[in-house]
Amino acid sequence: MNKRRSFLKKSVAVASALSMPALARAAVAAPHERILRFHNTHTGESLKSVFWAEGEFIPDALQDINKLLRDHRSNTIATIDPALLLLVEKVSAQFGSNNVVHIISGYRSPETNRKLAAASGGVARHSMHLEGKAIDLRIPGKDLRQVHKAALALKSGGVGYYHDSQFVHMDTGRVRHW
């Protein structure tokens, strides 16, 4: 009787774990995994996902991230450069393992970028956001200058500091800063 009860308990536990949504199971990172926690400031959506494990990107996780980083104005989803996600993860990890990265802007459709460029001198007409290779972010509770400094220290791609708007721009283009 005891063996049967033990078997049933274990069976229920395994069945429960297998029925859990993939994102919930994927949200616990092991040492050989990379995890990102995002919050889109415009849509209110949040995501916690292992996006890289065992030396490979996880396609389902990348799709979830692409959706979260979509152009919220046009609801257009595009492929985000996985190298950009690695950069963001490296910056975030410098401030601890449980940081939620607030996304100000990820992918931008051509229409959205044209509108933003017309309204502001600070938006590039040929922005890397159009290619899914740029992100504007902040980490709540962390000094923006320190986030900027951490991004610069990677010496990978472009890094911009926007004090008045309270975000740091990162991209996977050539190394430059402003």
Side-chain angles (χ1 to χ4, degrees):
M1 185 77 149
N2 226 1
K3 285 184 181 179
R4 185 169 185 258
R5 187 175 296 146
S6 177
F7 172 77
L8 288 173
K9 284 183 181 177
K10 288 180 183 174
S11 296
V12 168
V14 169
S16 295
L18 292 175
S19 68
M20 243 192 311
L23 285 178
R25 286 196 311 270
V28 179
H32 54 282
E33 297 174 330
R34 294 179 189 248
I35 189 169
L36 281 169
R37 292 164 182 82
F38 283 141
H39 175 77
N40 186 312
T41 61
H42 296 285
T43 66
E45 297 166 305
S46 294
L47 174 68
K48 178 180 177 185
S49 182
V50 173
F51 70 97
W52 183 91
E54 304 294 336
E56 295 182 13
F57 289 99
I58 301 170
D60 288 346
L62 295 179
Q63 285 182 338
D64 292 339
I65 291 169
N66 291 343
K67 183 180 178 193
L68 186 91
L69 298 180
R70 71 188 179 278
D71 180 339
H72 69 276
R73 292 169 181 89
S74 66
N75 207 33
T76 308
I77 299 172
T79 301
I80 300 299
D81 184 357
L84 180 63
L85 302 177
L86 290 173
L87 292 176
V88 172
E89 188 272 338
K90 286 178 184 177
V91 168
S92 177
Q94 291 186 37
F95 297 96
S97 61
N98 291 316
N99 292 306
V100 176
V101 177
H102 281 204
I103 305 304
I104 310 330
S105 184
Y107 170 72
R108 284 191 208 139
S109 68
E111 298 78 25
T112 294
N113 201 71
R114 274 193 297 276
K115 287 177 186 175
L116 293 174
S120 168
V123 174
R125 290 180 194 258
H126 304 290
S127 169
M128 298 207 66
H129 288 277
L130 293 163
E131 301 172 41
K133 294 182 176 188
I135 193 166
D136 298 336
L137 58 83
R138 64 176 156 258
I139 302 174
K142 308 303 175 193
D143 185 292
L144 195 62
R145 291 174 300 222
Q146 293 303 313
V147 174
H148 179 242
K149 185 176 176 181
L152 286 171
L154 296 176
K155 298 181 181 174
S156 298
V159 178
Y161 179 72
Y162 295 87
H163 177 268
D164 291 343
S165 300
Q166 285 295 289
F167 69 82
V168 171
H169 168 96
M170 296 174 62
D171 67 50
T172 56
R174 61 184 168 71
V175 177
R176 64 210 190 287
H177 62 88
W178 59 93

